[in-house]
Each structure stands twice: as structure tokens, then as C-alpha cells.
Amino acid sequence: MCGIVGYIGGRQAAPILLDGLKHLEYRGYDSAGIAVSDGKRIEVVKAKGKLEILREKTGNGKTPAGCCGIGHTRWATHGEPSELNAHPHANDSGTIVAVHNGIIENYAEQKAKLQRRGYTFYSETDTEVATKLVDYYYAKYADPVKAIANFILKVRGSYALAVMFADRPDEIYAVRKDSPMIIGVTESESFLASDVPAILSYTRTVYYTDNGEIVRLEKGKAAFYNIDGEPHEKQPSHIDWDVATAEKGGFEHFMLKEIHEQPKVIADTLSYFMGGGDIDLEKEVGLKDCEIASYTGVIIAACGSAYHVGVVMQYVMEKLARVPVRVELASEFRYRDPILDKSQLFIVISQSGETADSLAALRLAKERGLDTLSVVNVVGSSIAREADKTFFTKAGPEISVATTKAYSAQLIAAYLVSLRFAKVRGTVTDKEYSALVSELKTLPAKVDSVLKNKDEIQRFASEMIAKKDVFFIGRGIDYAVCLEGSLKLKEISYMHSEAYAAGELKHGTISLIEDSTLVIGALTQPETVEKTVSNLEETRTRGAYCATFSFNDVYGKAGRKFFVPETCPYFAASVTVIPLQLFAYYLSVLRGNDVDKPRNLAKSVTVE
């Protein structure tokens, strides 16, 4: 959730640290700080609130002076948002300074031990404890690698930790466990960061660090050590993202830009996995046809929007491939001691590949002996590396906290996997399969056509701005899309909204309908349209204002009707979700909210 950056080289560090933190704002934060070494001492500057406050305090990066530094944007976990609790944190003498992403679960225990040894504490954070624990072992061993190795042995939880030592002014040390950390290098400079966008304008050569791997950064060099302090070689990766992809490109917000990138994202993902005209999951994913034929069932685990993709996938895969599918909230999955069978395929979906609950669910499935497949957008992420097989979506960097294009890319992954299952298992004919593949190829153009009519959604949003409650209803895949539409609305507009399976209205929910309550109906599934129309009419007769999203005019009494291009019902989510994303976006703008960085939210939920 928090953002970490680090730099060592020949340039002034502060401007580079601030620039890196700016590119990590999407991760969510409530305070920020940097620490820079001038070769003699380490100076720390911190600020509560937006990064611009920190920028002002440093004179737009003119101070502190020095060519080696670390920076951090904090999301409060231990201790309220404040300048005192903001990172970086230091030992009492200011000779060791650290930033940290994650949660040290046994920090209270370690804090008590340090207090018995004479340490005092000025903040409420687990990060100060981590910093002073490193200090304790550095005083004992006078070796940063040994100090950090002992830190690893003593703490429990998740962390990405970057540390500077005043007596080692040309070095930065780092370690991670279950929190993202990448290393970037050029011939004369080295970088560390929580995510690629922070360093993309400086280097495309990166190392993905492993759990428990200790890193020493020097100018243009990165050395890697195991917990025993033994060095080892590591191969770098090359980032193919275009720098412009991580910029706004003339759009007012990243979210609007990313909504408009969806036709390309869908096309890129389709073409990558259908290069020869057929769906190839063995070459790029490692999923063999013989394995597909052998699985007795599929379990999908995910959180948030990725979970909503899983709900769509459950409907599509069961209908097409006739294989039992269970979709689970990853945050609930492992606490239920689920009944799992080694003959099942476990699929985990995560944009970042670092979602803590999804990673834990994946590990449980692996412990139980299931084959695992991840659907992720970030190469080198923890989930991607730990899963047996990985489907990399081609969404590129997604900066806005509210996912749009990554969700659409995940839908394509769901369709492709489902279709391959159906073909291999013989539940569709060759003719049906070819027709469905051809239909998939039409999606980019259909999504683009929806975007060309965005003004209609913008006007609708301006008319609905005073609404207090919004309900989304649908059945089957329409219900799955309603889940995502409702989430988008509440997370960026802060309006109360809920999604319901339309058939559940009479089981209590309809009592919430009042005069002028907005009820939005998704109507793309032929077998359920009439029933959902009946449910909409029940709300309208009780005072609701009804709006519909459908292929054609199926509910004449709706107050507003929006039509999307007719699409195979299996793939309808890809076109129906677009106007719902736009509706949420325009309402957020009209209400004066920070669209890309909604309150209380972070892009990657890397702690439970």
C-alpha cells in the first residue's frame, strides 16, 4: 500500500525521490518523507498530507543535499497519520534511517525487548521498532547484511524495508517479505521502488527481489545476499512499458485515460494469446490441454474488482465448459479451512500480483497440492512467481486506484481460459468454438463505440448528482457486472450504492426503495431479461427512477435507456461495464473528488 523509493548516483537525490513518490501516489498515502545523505550525515524531512506539502518543505527538492536517499509515502496502520509517525524513521543518533511498507506483526514484542535494553521510542509505528531492531544488530555485528539477516529472523509479518547507514554513505540496503520491492540499475545509478512507474523514466533494467533476499545498492551496482550473508548472482529483467503509458497523455485524470485505453488493452491481450488465430495457453501460460482435460473442478479466489471478474468467469466457464466452478473471496478463503481436492485447478486473480489475501490463498492451495494458475498484470510480482502457471494480462501500468483497464484485461483472460476448457473438454463444437473466437475479436471495436457515446453518460451523471442511494440489479453475468458498477460508484464518488441479484429484491431489499431512488438494471442475458424487467417494474411502481443498459429497448418504462453494441451474452460484461465506469467517473468529477486517489483507498492491498 505504501510507496518506497531509493536512489544512489551522481545526481541530487531529493528531486528524484520526490518524482518517484509522485509516481507512486496512486498506491494511497496520508503522509510522506525523504531522507538524504550528504556523505557525513542523514537529513530527514517529513510532512503530513499531500506530497506537495513535502515538496514545499524541501524547496521543490533543493534540500536536503546529497546523492543518496530514500523516500516514502505512508498509509497509516500503526499510529495515526502525523508528521511524527511519518517515514523515514531513525535510531536515536540519526545514524540509521529506514522506510518500510507492510506490517510487523510482532512489533510490540520486539519493542518491549528493545525497551529492556534501553531503547526509547518517539512514535507509535512498527517501522520505528524495525529501524531500532536493525540498529541493535548493527551495533552488535557492524555489518549491515548481518544486521538485516538477524532482523529477518526476529520479525513476523510483511515488509519491504530500505535502510541507510550514516557510516556507509554510498550504500543503501533493502530486504522484502510479501511486500513488493524492485531494484533498477544503469551504468552509474541505482534505484529501488515499490513499483515500476516510480523508476520507469530512469531505467528499464530491473531486478525482482525474492522473499528474504538482502540487497546492497551502490552507484550502478546491486549485490544480492541470502540470509546467511552469502552473495549470489541474479538476472535482470527488461521493462517494455512505454514511459508515455504511465503518464496522463492529455486526459484530465489517469482513470479517464485508462478507461479509454480499454479497446487497446483488450486487443493486445487477445492478440498475444491468439497469435495464430487459436487460443494458445500452453506456450505463454504453461497450461496444457491434457491438464485441462483432467481437472474435476476449478476454484477462483480474488478480492475486489478481481473477485467480480471471478464471478463472471464462474458463469462463463460453467456454461461453456460444463466444469464445476467455485469463486471465493480470498480474504475469507483460508480462514474457513476449505475442502480442496488435488484434482482441482486453483485460479487466483490479482492486478498487482501482491494482494496479501490472494497471495495467502494461493499458498494454501499450493500446500494442499492443487495446480495453481495466476491471472496478474505485473511481471515479477509475488503471485506470478509463486503460481505454477501465470496468465499475464496486457494492461500495462494502471495508475488510478479504481481499476478499469486491468479489470477488462482480466475479463479477456477469463474468456480465453473458459473457451480453451470448452474446446478441450468437447463441450462446444468446432463451429461454435470458431464463432465464439470470432466474437471475441469484435470486442475492441464494440468497446470503442461505447466510448464514443460517453457524452450521453456524462449528461446522465449530471442529472443524478443529487441521488443519495443507487441500486444496481441484474441476473447471472448481468449481476456480476452490477457488482463492479456499484463498487466503482462507491469507491470514487462516495455515493451509497449496492448491487443485488435481481431475484433477491423481494427478500428484503425492496423495502429500501423510496421516491426517486435510482435503480440501474443490466439487461443483456436473454434467459433472464424478462424476469429482471419485472423486478425493475416492481421498483418503479414504488417510486424508483429506473435506468437500463441493454442491447435494445427491452423495458419501455425506463426513465433512461442506454444501448451497448449487441454482443454474445457470454462476453457482455466487457461492453456493459464501460458505461458504468464512465458513470462513476463523471459523478466523482462533478462532486469534486480526487478521482485517481479516492479517500481511504490504496491501489495494492499488501497487508491484511
Side-chain angles (χ1 to χ4, degrees), residues 350-367:
S350 168
Q351 186 279 141
S352 67
E354 301 291 350
T355 309
D357 289 314
S358 299
L359 181 58
L362 171 68
R363 288 173 175 167
L364 176 60
K366 287 178 69 69
E367 288 172 10

Side-chain angles (χ1 to χ4, degrees), residues 454-465:
K454 64 183 179 182
D455 291 348
E456 189 179 2
I457 298 295
Q458 186 174 12
R459 285 193 297 272
F460 179 55
S462 67
E463 295 165 5
M464 297 295 113
I465 191 171

Side-chain angles (χ1 to χ4, degrees), residues 77-95:
T77 53
H78 297 85
E80 65 182 8
S82 69
E83 189 170 304
L84 190 65
N85 287 328
H87 302 205
H89 285 283
N91 63 352
D92 291 340
S93 60
T95 56

Side-chain angles (χ1 to χ4, degrees), residues 169-424:
D170 297 319
E171 299 172 350
I172 299 174
Y173 290 81
V175 67
R176 71 174 284 266
K177 178 180 177 292
D178 298 341
S179 289
M181 173 81 77
I182 61 169
I183 305 298
V185 293
T186 67
E187 289 185 359
S188 59
E189 298 176 310
S190 295
F191 307 82
L192 63 84
S194 297
D195 205 353
V196 170
I199 62 175
L200 191 58
S201 59
Y202 303 104
T203 182
R204 292 166 182 262
T205 302
V206 303
Y207 296 89
Y208 295 103
T209 58
D210 295 320
N211 276 345
E213 190 171 47
I214 302 168
V215 188
R216 185 185 78 239
L217 291 183
E218 298 176 273
K219 295 178 182 179
K221 292 190 291 185
F224 301 89
Y225 304 86
N226 63 21
I227 197 168
D228 295 320
E230 299 167 340
H232 59 268
E233 295 296 319
K234 197 174 184 73
Q235 293 302 311
S237 299
H238 180 76
I239 300 298
D240 294 323
W241 292 350
D242 187 339
V243 175
T245 306
E247 303 296 337
K248 289 182 182 176
F251 288 91
E252 186 177 356
H253 298 99
F254 279 111
M255 183 178 180
L256 186 60
K257 172 178 178 281
E258 289 159 6
I259 288 173
H260 280 78
E261 287 176 340
Q262 287 174 113
K264 182 179 185 302
V265 164
I266 292 170
D268 288 349
T269 303
L270 285 172
S271 63
Y272 189 81
F273 294 96
M274 294 172 54
D278 193 12
I279 300 169
D280 185 355
L281 298 182
E282 182 171 350
K283 179 183 176 182
E284 300 298 342
V285 179
L287 186 59
K288 299 177 181 178
D289 286 351
C290 60
E291 294 172 320
I292 290 173
S294 70
Y295 294 128
T296 61
V298 174
I299 300 172
I300 303 168
C303 298
S305 293
Y307 171 77
H308 300 158
V309 171
V311 177
V312 173
M313 189 173 186
Q314 181 183 39
Y315 285 117
V316 174
M317 181 173 274
E318 287 197 337
K319 286 185 174 184
L320 283 176
R322 306 310 300 160
V323 60
V325 180
R326 200 168 90 216
V327 61
E328 302 268 2
L329 287 165
S331 56
E332 292 288 321
F333 179 72
R334 64 188 172 121
Y335 296 109
R336 213 180 62 240
D337 191 17
I339 299 170
L340 304 176
D341 190 301
K342 292 181 181 179
S343 65
Q344 298 169 312
L345 174 65
F346 184 86
I347 301 176
V348 60
I349 306 173
S350 168
Q351 186 279 141
S352 67
E354 301 291 350
T355 309
D357 289 314
S358 299
L359 181 58
L362 171 68
R363 288 173 175 167
L364 176 60
K366 287 178 69 69
E367 288 172 10
R368 301 283 180 88
L370 278 71
D371 274 2
T372 56
L373 166 66
S374 66
V375 178
V376 299
N377 191 47
V378 180
V379 176
S381 58
S382 296
I383 289 175
R385 285 183 290 172
E386 294 191 26
D388 300 317
K389 316 166 198 305
T390 299
F391 189 120
F392 287 113
T393 54
K394 302 300 174 182
E398 187 176 65
I399 306 303
S400 178
V401 167
T403 183
T404 51
K405 65 175 182 173
Y407 169 89
S408 285
Q410 289 166 354
L411 283 179
I412 299 302
Y415 303 152
L416 292 174
V417 173
S418 299
L419 266 176
R420 191 66 195 177
F421 263 70
K423 180 177 183 181
V424 170

Side-chain angles (χ1 to χ4, degrees), residues 46 106 147 372 403 484:
K46 303 193 285 188
N106 62 334
T372 56
T403 183
E484 179 62 12

Side-chain angles (χ1 to χ4, degrees), residues 19 240 262 440 481 556:
D19 179 64
D240 294 323
Q262 287 174 113
L440 279 178
V481 175

